[in-house]
PDB file of all heavy atoms in Angstrom:
ATOM      1  N   ALA A 155       0.857  -1.195   0.000  1.00 76.00           N
ATOM      2  CA  ALA A 155       0.000   0.000   0.000  1.00 76.00           C
ATOM      3  C   ALA A 155       0.893   1.246   0.000  1.00 76.00           C
ATOM      4  O   ALA A 155       1.984   1.217   0.565  1.00 76.00           O
ATOM      5  CB  ALA A 155      -0.909  -0.019   1.223  1.00 76.00           C
ATOM      6  N   PRO A 156       0.485   2.273  -0.678  1.00 77.00           N
ATOM      7  CA  PRO A 156      -0.863   2.537  -1.173  1.00 77.00           C
ATOM      8  C   PRO A 156      -1.169   1.961  -2.547  1.00 77.00           C
ATOM      9  O   PRO A 156      -2.249   2.192  -3.073  1.00 77.00           O
ATOM     10  CB  PRO A 156      -0.925   4.064  -1.215  1.00 77.00           C
ATOM     11  CG  PRO A 156       0.480   4.458  -1.562  1.00 77.00           C
ATOM     12  CD  PRO A 156       1.358   3.444  -0.849  1.00 77.00           C
ATOM     13  N   SER A 157      -0.247   1.199  -3.151  1.00 78.00           N
ATOM     14  CA  SER A 157      -0.544   0.564  -4.427  1.00 78.00           C
ATOM     15  C   SER A 157      -1.769  -0.323  -4.276  1.00 78.00           C
ATOM     16  O   SER A 157      -1.970  -0.949  -3.232  1.00 78.00           O
ATOM     17  CB  SER A 157       0.646  -0.274  -4.896  1.00 78.00           C
ATOM     18  OG  SER A 157       0.298  -0.958  -6.077  1.00 78.00           O
ATOM     19  N   ARG A 158      -2.578  -0.389  -5.322  1.00 83.00           N
ATOM     20  CA  ARG A 158      -3.805  -1.186  -5.281  1.00 83.00           C
ATOM     21  C   ARG A 158      -3.807  -2.278  -6.334  1.00 83.00           C
ATOM     22  O   ARG A 158      -4.779  -3.010  -6.457  1.00 83.00           O
ATOM     23  CB  ARG A 158      -5.005  -0.264  -5.516  1.00 83.00           C
ATOM     24  CG  ARG A 158      -5.158   0.797  -4.460  1.00 83.00           C
ATOM     25  CD  ARG A 158      -6.110   1.914  -4.838  1.00 83.00           C
ATOM     26  NE  ARG A 158      -7.165   1.569  -5.744  1.00 83.00           N
ATOM     27  CZ  ARG A 158      -8.425   1.967  -5.611  1.00 83.00           C
ATOM     28  NH1 ARG A 158      -8.783   2.704  -4.598  1.00 83.00           N
ATOM     29  NH2 ARG A 158      -9.334   1.636  -6.493  1.00 83.00           N
ATOM     30  N   VAL A 159      -2.746  -2.393  -7.123  1.00 87.00           N
ATOM     31  CA  VAL A 159      -2.736  -3.302  -8.259  1.00 87.00           C
ATOM     32  C   VAL A 159      -1.861  -4.525  -7.981  1.00 87.00           C
ATOM     33  O   VAL A 159      -0.777  -4.409  -7.403  1.00 87.00           O
ATOM     34  CB  VAL A 159      -2.226  -2.577  -9.521  1.00 87.00           C
ATOM     35  CG1 VAL A 159      -2.116  -3.531 -10.700  1.00 87.00           C
ATOM     36  CG2 VAL A 159      -3.137  -1.412  -9.861  1.00 87.00           C
ATOM     37  N   THR A 160      -2.364  -5.686  -8.399  1.00 88.00           N
ATOM     38  CA  THR A 160      -1.570  -6.909  -8.391  1.00 88.00           C
ATOM     39  C   THR A 160      -1.628  -7.510  -9.792  1.00 88.00           C
ATOM     40  O   THR A 160      -2.605  -7.309 -10.523  1.00 88.00           O
ATOM     41  CB  THR A 160      -2.098  -7.946  -7.376  1.00 88.00           C
ATOM     42  OG1 THR A 160      -3.434  -8.309  -7.725  1.00 88.00           O
ATOM     43  CG2 THR A 160      -2.048  -7.419  -5.959  1.00 88.00           C
ATOM     44  N   ALA A 161      -0.583  -8.228 -10.145  1.00 93.00           N
ATOM     45  CA  ALA A 161      -0.545  -8.916 -11.429  1.00 93.00           C
ATOM     46  C   ALA A 161       0.116 -10.265 -11.237  1.00 93.00           C
ATOM     47  O   ALA A 161       1.117 -10.380 -10.515  1.00 93.00           O
ATOM     48  CB  ALA A 161       0.209  -8.084 -12.457  1.00 93.00           C
ATOM     49  N   ASN A 162      -0.458 -11.273 -11.862  1.00 94.00           N
ATOM     50  CA  ASN A 162       0.081 -12.629 -11.798  1.00 94.00           C
ATOM     51  C   ASN A 162       0.094 -13.232 -13.189  1.00 94.00           C
ATOM     52  O   ASN A 162      -0.848 -13.040 -13.970  1.00 94.00           O
ATOM     53  CB  ASN A 162      -0.787 -13.517 -10.891  1.00 94.00           C
ATOM     54  CG  ASN A 162      -0.704 -13.102  -9.452  1.00 94.00           C
ATOM     55  OD1 ASN A 162       0.329 -13.226  -8.830  1.00 94.00           O
ATOM     56  ND2 ASN A 162      -1.800 -12.591  -8.916  1.00 94.00           N
ATOM     57  N   LEU A 163       1.170 -13.961 -13.490  1.00 96.00           N
ATOM     58  CA  LEU A 163       1.235 -14.752 -14.703  1.00 96.00           C
ATOM     59  C   LEU A 163       0.690 -16.125 -14.332  1.00 96.00           C
ATOM     60  O   LEU A 163       1.234 -16.787 -13.439  1.00 96.00           O
ATOM     61  CB  LEU A 163       2.682 -14.835 -15.187  1.00 96.00           C
ATOM     62  CG  LEU A 163       2.905 -15.203 -16.639  1.00 96.00           C
ATOM     63  CD1 LEU A 163       2.195 -14.241 -17.581  1.00 96.00           C
ATOM     64  CD2 LEU A 163       4.384 -15.234 -16.942  1.00 96.00           C
ATOM     65  N   VAL A 164      -0.407 -16.529 -14.968  1.00 97.00           N
ATOM     66  CA  VAL A 164      -1.097 -17.756 -14.588  1.00 97.00           C
ATOM     67  C   VAL A 164      -0.990 -18.756 -15.733  1.00 97.00           C
ATOM     68  O   VAL A 164      -1.365 -18.456 -16.870  1.00 97.00           O
ATOM     69  CB  VAL A 164      -2.571 -17.479 -14.235  1.00 97.00           C
ATOM     70  CG1 VAL A 164      -3.237 -18.739 -13.683  1.00 97.00           C
ATOM     71  CG2 VAL A 164      -2.678 -16.327 -13.229  1.00 97.00           C
ATOM     72  N   HIS A 165      -0.458 -19.945 -15.416  1.00 98.00           N
ATOM     73  CA  HIS A 165      -0.216 -21.007 -16.394  1.00 98.00           C
ATOM     74  C   HIS A 165      -1.276 -22.089 -16.197  1.00 98.00           C
ATOM     75  O   HIS A 165      -1.307 -22.736 -15.149  1.00 98.00           O
ATOM     76  CB  HIS A 165       1.163 -21.628 -16.185  1.00 98.00           C
ATOM     77  CG  HIS A 165       2.269 -20.616 -16.131  1.00 98.00           C
ATOM     78  ND1 HIS A 165       3.133 -20.406 -17.172  1.00 98.00           N
ATOM     79  CD2 HIS A 165       2.637 -19.749 -15.156  1.00 98.00           C
ATOM     80  CE1 HIS A 165       3.990 -19.463 -16.844  1.00 98.00           C
ATOM     81  NE2 HIS A 165       3.711 -19.046 -15.620  1.00 98.00           N
ATOM     82  N   PHE A 166      -2.116 -22.308 -17.201  1.00 98.00           N
ATOM     83  CA  PHE A 166      -3.160 -23.331 -17.156  1.00 98.00           C
ATOM     84  C   PHE A 166      -2.737 -24.487 -18.060  1.00 98.00           C
ATOM     85  O   PHE A 166      -2.520 -24.286 -19.251  1.00 98.00           O
ATOM     86  CB  PHE A 166      -4.485 -22.784 -17.694  1.00 98.00           C
ATOM     87  CG  PHE A 166      -5.095 -21.681 -16.869  1.00 98.00           C
ATOM     88  CD1 PHE A 166      -4.709 -20.362 -17.054  1.00 98.00           C
ATOM     89  CD2 PHE A 166      -6.081 -21.957 -15.939  1.00 98.00           C
ATOM     90  CE1 PHE A 166      -5.296 -19.341 -16.318  1.00 98.00           C
ATOM     91  CE2 PHE A 166      -6.667 -20.940 -15.202  1.00 98.00           C
ATOM     92  CZ  PHE A 166      -6.275 -19.631 -15.385  1.00 98.00           C
ATOM     93  N   MET A 167      -2.640 -25.684 -17.508  1.00 98.00           N
ATOM     94  CA  MET A 167      -2.368 -26.856 -18.323  1.00 98.00           C
ATOM     95  C   MET A 167      -3.640 -27.202 -19.111  1.00 98.00           C
ATOM     96  O   MET A 167      -4.739 -26.758 -18.749  1.00 98.00           O
ATOM     97  CB  MET A 167      -1.943 -28.036 -17.445  1.00 98.00           C
ATOM     98  CG  MET A 167      -0.630 -27.789 -16.687  1.00 98.00           C
ATOM     99  SD  MET A 167       0.773 -27.349 -17.751  1.00 98.00           S
ATOM    100  CE  MET A 167       0.948 -25.592 -17.400  1.00 98.00           C
ATOM    101  N   PRO A 168      -3.546 -27.989 -20.201  1.00 98.00           N
ATOM    102  CA  PRO A 168      -4.738 -28.294 -20.993  1.00 98.00           C
ATOM    103  C   PRO A 168      -5.903 -28.758 -20.103  1.00 98.00           C
ATOM    104  O   PRO A 168      -5.739 -29.604 -19.231  1.00 98.00           O
ATOM    105  CB  PRO A 168      -4.265 -29.411 -21.922  1.00 98.00           C
ATOM    106  CG  PRO A 168      -2.804 -29.100 -22.124  1.00 98.00           C
ATOM    107  CD  PRO A 168      -2.339 -28.624 -20.752  1.00 98.00           C
ATOM    108  N   GLY A 169      -7.062 -28.157 -20.343  1.00 97.00           N
ATOM    109  CA  GLY A 169      -8.268 -28.502 -19.600  1.00 97.00           C
ATOM    110  C   GLY A 169      -8.426 -27.816 -18.256  1.00 97.00           C
ATOM    111  O   GLY A 169      -9.493 -27.885 -17.648  1.00 97.00           O
ATOM    112  N   ALA A 170      -7.394 -27.160 -17.759  1.00 98.00           N
ATOM    113  CA  ALA A 170      -7.471 -26.502 -16.444  1.00 98.00           C
ATOM    114  C   ALA A 170      -8.222 -25.184 -16.564  1.00 98.00           C
ATOM    115  O   ALA A 170      -8.186 -24.517 -17.604  1.00 98.00           O
ATOM    116  CB  ALA A 170      -6.075 -26.269 -15.884  1.00 98.00           C
ATOM    117  N   ARG A 171      -8.888 -24.803 -15.474  1.00 98.00           N
ATOM    118  CA  ARG A 171      -9.688 -23.585 -15.488  1.00 98.00           C
ATOM    119  C   ARG A 171      -9.936 -23.077 -14.083  1.00 98.00           C
ATOM    120  O   ARG A 171      -9.809 -23.823 -13.112  1.00 98.00           O
ATOM    121  CB  ARG A 171     -11.023 -23.830 -16.180  1.00 98.00           C
ATOM    122  CG  ARG A 171     -11.815 -24.967 -15.525  1.00 98.00           C
ATOM    123  CD  ARG A 171     -12.853 -25.524 -16.479  1.00 98.00           C
ATOM    124  NE  ARG A 171     -13.653 -26.587 -15.929  1.00 98.00           N
ATOM    125  CZ  ARG A 171     -13.437 -27.882 -16.133  1.00 98.00           C
ATOM    126  NH1 ARG A 171     -12.390 -28.291 -16.832  1.00 98.00           N
ATOM    127  NH2 ARG A 171     -14.262 -28.782 -15.635  1.00 98.00           N
ATOM    128  N   THR A 172     -10.298 -21.808 -13.994  1.00 98.00           N
ATOM    129  CA  THR A 172     -10.699 -21.250 -12.711  1.00 98.00           C
ATOM    130  C   THR A 172     -12.081 -21.776 -12.349  1.00 98.00           C
ATOM    131  O   THR A 172     -12.797 -22.317 -13.198  1.00 98.00           O
ATOM    132  CB  THR A 172     -10.797 -19.704 -12.753  1.00 98.00           C
ATOM    133  OG1 THR A 172     -11.889 -19.333 -13.596  1.00 98.00           O
ATOM    134  CG2 THR A 172      -9.504 -19.061 -13.219  1.00 98.00           C
ATOM    135  N   HIS A 173     -12.477 -21.576 -11.105  1.00 98.00           N
ATOM    136  CA  HIS A 173     -13.875 -21.722 -10.727  1.00 98.00           C
ATOM    137  C   HIS A 173     -14.573 -20.428 -11.154  1.00 98.00           C
ATOM    138  O   HIS A 173     -13.925 -19.438 -11.516  1.00 98.00           O
ATOM    139  CB  HIS A 173     -14.002 -21.904  -9.218  1.00 98.00           C
ATOM    140  CG  HIS A 173     -13.497 -23.232  -8.744  1.00 98.00           C
ATOM    141  ND1 HIS A 173     -13.641 -23.668  -7.462  1.00 98.00           N
ATOM    142  CD2 HIS A 173     -12.839 -24.237  -9.383  1.00 98.00           C
ATOM    143  CE1 HIS A 173     -13.112 -24.869  -7.309  1.00 98.00           C
ATOM    144  NE2 HIS A 173     -12.611 -25.230  -8.474  1.00 98.00           N
ATOM    145  N   TRP A 174     -15.887 -20.419 -11.104  1.00 98.00           N
ATOM    146  CA  TRP A 174     -16.607 -19.170 -11.274  1.00 98.00           C
ATOM    147  C   TRP A 174     -16.111 -18.207 -10.192  1.00 98.00           C
ATOM    148  O   TRP A 174     -15.839 -18.634  -9.069  1.00 98.00           O
ATOM    149  CB  TRP A 174     -18.112 -19.381 -11.115  1.00 98.00           C
ATOM    150  CG  TRP A 174     -18.765 -20.060 -12.282  1.00 98.00           C
ATOM    151  CD1 TRP A 174     -19.107 -21.377 -12.367  1.00 98.00           C
ATOM    152  CD2 TRP A 174     -19.143 -19.466 -13.517  1.00 98.00           C
ATOM    153  NE1 TRP A 174     -19.681 -21.641 -13.584  1.00 98.00           N
ATOM    154  CE2 TRP A 174     -19.725 -20.476 -14.309  1.00 98.00           C
ATOM    155  CE3 TRP A 174     -19.058 -18.169 -14.027  1.00 98.00           C
ATOM    156  CZ2 TRP A 174     -20.207 -20.226 -15.589  1.00 98.00           C
ATOM    157  CZ3 TRP A 174     -19.545 -17.930 -15.304  1.00 98.00           C
ATOM    158  CH2 TRP A 174     -20.115 -18.942 -16.070  1.00 98.00           C
ATOM    159  N   HIS A 175     -15.983 -16.951 -10.520  1.00 97.00           N
ATOM    160  CA  HIS A 175     -15.545 -15.967  -9.536  1.00 97.00           C
ATOM    161  C   HIS A 175     -15.906 -14.571 -10.020  1.00 97.00           C
ATOM    162  O   HIS A 175     -16.369 -14.394 -11.148  1.00 97.00           O
ATOM    163  CB  HIS A 175     -14.039 -16.087  -9.267  1.00 97.00           C
ATOM    164  CG  HIS A 175     -13.167 -15.842 -10.463  1.00 97.00           C
ATOM    165  ND1 HIS A 175     -13.035 -16.754 -11.499  1.00 97.00           N
ATOM    166  CD2 HIS A 175     -12.370 -14.806 -10.795  1.00 97.00           C
ATOM    167  CE1 HIS A 175     -12.196 -16.277 -12.406  1.00 97.00           C
ATOM    168  NE2 HIS A 175     -11.782 -15.085 -12.006  1.00 97.00           N
ATOM    169  N   ARG A 176     -15.692 -13.600  -9.140  1.00 96.00           N
ATOM    170  CA  ARG A 176     -15.939 -12.206  -9.495  1.00 96.00           C
ATOM    171  C   ARG A 176     -14.915 -11.332  -8.783  1.00 96.00           C
ATOM    172  O   ARG A 176     -14.392 -11.708  -7.737  1.00 96.00           O
ATOM    173  CB  ARG A 176     -17.365 -11.778  -9.148  1.00 96.00           C
ATOM    174  CG  ARG A 176     -17.711 -11.900  -7.693  1.00 96.00           C
ATOM    175  CD  ARG A 176     -19.199 -11.603  -7.429  1.00 96.00           C
ATOM    176  NE  ARG A 176     -19.523 -11.795  -6.035  1.00 96.00           N
ATOM    177  CZ  ARG A 176     -19.304 -10.910  -5.065  1.00 96.00           C
ATOM    178  NH1 ARG A 176     -18.741  -9.744  -5.350  1.00 96.00           N
ATOM    179  NH2 ARG A 176     -19.627 -11.164  -3.828  1.00 96.00           N
ATOM    180  N   HIS A 177     -14.628 -10.196  -9.383  1.00 94.00           N
ATOM    181  CA  HIS A 177     -13.679  -9.235  -8.831  1.00 94.00           C
ATOM    182  C   HIS A 177     -14.430  -7.930  -8.555  1.00 94.00           C
ATOM    183  O   HIS A 177     -14.944  -7.316  -9.499  1.00 94.00           O
ATOM    184  CB  HIS A 177     -12.535  -8.977  -9.819  1.00 94.00           C
ATOM    185  CG  HIS A 177     -11.793 -10.213 -10.188  1.00 94.00           C
ATOM    186  ND1 HIS A 177     -10.749 -10.693  -9.443  1.00 94.00           N
ATOM    187  CD2 HIS A 177     -11.966 -11.085 -11.215  1.00 94.00           C
ATOM    188  CE1 HIS A 177     -10.298 -11.807 -10.000  1.00 94.00           C
ATOM    189  NE2 HIS A 177     -11.016 -12.065 -11.064  1.00 94.00           N
ATOM    190  N   PRO A 178     -14.510  -7.495  -7.293  1.00 92.00           N
ATOM    191  CA  PRO A 178     -15.262  -6.276  -6.968  1.00 92.00           C
ATOM    192  C   PRO A 178     -14.804  -5.039  -7.736  1.00 92.00           C
ATOM    193  O   PRO A 178     -15.607  -4.138  -7.977  1.00 92.00           O
ATOM    194  CB  PRO A 178     -15.045  -6.120  -5.466  1.00 92.00           C
ATOM    195  CG  PRO A 178     -14.857  -7.521  -4.975  1.00 92.00           C
ATOM    196  CD  PRO A 178     -14.072  -8.192  -6.070  1.00 92.00           C
ATOM    197  N   LEU A 179     -13.541  -4.986  -8.141  1.00 92.00           N
ATOM    198  CA  LEU A 179     -13.042  -3.833  -8.898  1.00 92.00           C
ATOM    199  C   LEU A 179     -12.679  -4.189 -10.338  1.00 92.00           C
ATOM    200  O   LEU A 179     -11.990  -3.444 -11.020  1.00 92.00           O
ATOM    201  CB  LEU A 179     -11.853  -3.198  -8.172  1.00 92.00           C
ATOM    202  CG  LEU A 179     -12.180  -2.630  -6.786  1.00 92.00           C
ATOM    203  CD1 LEU A 179     -10.919  -2.124  -6.096  1.00 92.00           C
ATOM    204  CD2 LEU A 179     -13.227  -1.527  -6.869  1.00 92.00           C
ATOM    205  N   GLY A 180     -13.136  -5.343 -10.817  1.00 94.00           N
ATOM    206  CA  GLY A 180     -12.880  -5.764 -12.187  1.00 94.00           C
ATOM    207  C   GLY A 180     -11.543  -6.477 -12.349  1.00 94.00           C
ATOM    208  O   GLY A 180     -10.739  -6.565 -11.421  1.00 94.00           O
ATOM    209  N   GLN A 181     -11.325  -7.012 -13.555  1.00 95.00           N
ATOM    210  CA  GLN A 181     -10.086  -7.734 -13.857  1.00 95.00           C
ATOM    211  C   GLN A 181      -9.780  -7.626 -15.344  1.00 95.00           C
ATOM    212  O   GLN A 181     -10.684  -7.700 -16.179  1.00 95.00           O
ATOM    213  CB  GLN A 181     -10.220  -9.218 -13.504  1.00 95.00           C
ATOM    214  CG  GLN A 181      -8.964 -10.028 -13.816  1.00 95.00           C
ATOM    215  CD  GLN A 181      -9.148 -11.510 -13.570  1.00 95.00           C
ATOM    216  OE1 GLN A 181     -10.120 -12.106 -13.988  1.00 95.00           O
ATOM    217  NE2 GLN A 181      -8.193 -12.107 -12.871  1.00 95.00           N
ATOM    218  N   THR A 182      -8.496  -7.451 -15.650  1.00 97.00           N
ATOM    219  CA  THR A 182      -8.006  -7.558 -17.020  1.00 97.00           C
ATOM    220  C   THR A 182      -7.208  -8.839 -17.134  1.00 97.00           C
ATOM    221  O   THR A 182      -6.364  -9.135 -16.278  1.00 97.00           O
ATOM    222  CB  THR A 182      -7.103  -6.366 -17.390  1.00 97.00           C
ATOM    223  OG1 THR A 182      -7.873  -5.165 -17.335  1.00 97.00           O
ATOM    224  CG2 THR A 182      -6.520  -6.528 -18.785  1.00 97.00           C
ATOM    225  N   VAL A 183      -7.471  -9.595 -18.187  1.00 97.00           N
ATOM    226  CA  VAL A 183      -6.714 -10.800 -18.517  1.00 97.00           C
ATOM    227  C   VAL A 183      -6.081 -10.561 -19.883  1.00 97.00           C
ATOM    228  O   VAL A 183      -6.781 -10.195 -20.833  1.00 97.00           O
ATOM    229  CB  VAL A 183      -7.636 -12.043 -18.546  1.00 97.00           C
ATOM    230  CG1 VAL A 183      -6.955 -13.227 -19.172  1.00 97.00           C
ATOM    231  CG2 VAL A 183      -8.126 -12.380 -17.150  1.00 97.00           C
ATOM    232  N   PHE A 184      -4.750 -10.755 -19.983  1.00 98.00           N
ATOM    233  CA  PHE A 184      -4.025 -10.592 -21.244  1.00 98.00           C
ATOM    234  C   PHE A 184      -3.341 -11.917 -21.560  1.00 98.00           C
ATOM    235  O   PHE A 184      -2.467 -12.369 -20.807  1.00 98.00           O
ATOM    236  CB  PHE A 184      -2.990  -9.467 -21.136  1.00 98.00           C
ATOM    237  CG  PHE A 184      -2.239  -9.234 -22.406  1.00 98.00           C
ATOM    238  CD1 PHE A 184      -2.806  -8.511 -23.442  1.00 98.00           C
ATOM    239  CD2 PHE A 184      -0.967  -9.753 -22.575  1.00 98.00           C
ATOM    240  CE1 PHE A 184      -2.115  -8.299 -24.628  1.00 98.00           C
ATOM    241  CE2 PHE A 184      -0.263  -9.548 -23.759  1.00 98.00           C
ATOM    242  CZ  PHE A 184      -0.850  -8.819 -24.786  1.00 98.00           C
ATOM    243  N   VAL A 185      -3.754 -12.562 -22.650  1.00 98.00           N
ATOM    244  CA  VAL A 185      -3.232 -13.882 -23.017  1.00 98.00           C
ATOM    245  C   VAL A 185      -1.858 -13.727 -23.654  1.00 98.00           C
ATOM    246  O   VAL A 185      -1.674 -12.940 -24.587  1.00 98.00           O
ATOM    247  CB  VAL A 185      -4.193 -14.609 -23.982  1.00 98.00           C
ATOM    248  CG1 VAL A 185      -3.650 -15.990 -24.344  1.00 98.00           C
ATOM    249  CG2 VAL A 185      -5.587 -14.724 -23.372  1.00 98.00           C
ATOM    250  N   THR A 186      -0.873 -14.503 -23.138  1.00 98.00           N
ATOM    251  CA  THR A 186       0.490 -14.439 -23.670  1.00 98.00           C
ATOM    252  C   THR A 186       0.891 -15.674 -24.470  1.00 98.00           C
ATOM    253  O   THR A 186       1.754 -15.584 -25.332  1.00 98.00           O
ATOM    254  CB  THR A 186       1.506 -14.232 -22.531  1.00 98.00           C
ATOM    255  OG1 THR A 186       1.440 -15.337 -21.634  1.00 98.00           O
ATOM    256  CG2 THR A 186       1.241 -12.934 -21.784  1.00 98.00           C
ATOM    257  N   GLU A 187       0.277 -16.827 -24.164  1.00 98.00           N
ATOM    258  CA  GLU A 187       0.634 -18.075 -24.853  1.00 98.00           C
ATOM    259  C   GLU A 187      -0.559 -18.996 -24.920  1.00 98.00           C
ATOM    260  O   GLU A 187      -1.428 -18.972 -24.050  1.00 98.00           O
ATOM    261  CB  GLU A 187       1.731 -18.825 -24.086  1.00 98.00           C
ATOM    262  CG  GLU A 187       3.068 -18.149 -24.005  1.00 98.00           C
ATOM    263  CD  GLU A 187       4.066 -19.007 -23.246  1.00 98.00           C
ATOM    264  OE1 GLU A 187       4.276 -20.170 -23.632  1.00 98.00           O
ATOM    265  OE2 GLU A 187       4.604 -18.508 -22.259  1.00 98.00           O
ATOM    266  N   GLY A 188      -0.566 -19.860 -25.942  1.00 98.00           N
ATOM    267  CA  GLY A 188      -1.542 -20.941 -26.013  1.00 98.00           C
ATOM    268  C   GLY A 188      -2.918 -20.503 -26.470  1.00 98.00           C
ATOM    269  O   GLY A 188      -3.106 -19.458 -27.085  1.00 98.00           O
TER     270      GLY A 188
END
């Protein structure tokens, strides 16, 4: 703090996925591979 931003590089193996979810302040996803 006072920064409010986090960023993670997330690697999903074939067939892997998040559960349903929501972000109170929104989310940007930028695809880098696959």
Side-chain angles (χ1 to χ4, degrees):
S157 176
R158 298 166 28 137
V159 176
T160 61
N162 292 293
L163 200 57
V164 187
H165 308 256
F166 295 85
M167 297 304 107
R171 57 200 181 262
T172 68
H173 290 187
W174 286 100
H175 62 286
R176 60 186 177 81
H177 302 274
L179 297 175
Q181 179 185 48
T182 297
V183 167
F184 181 79
V185 181
T186 61
E187 295 181 56

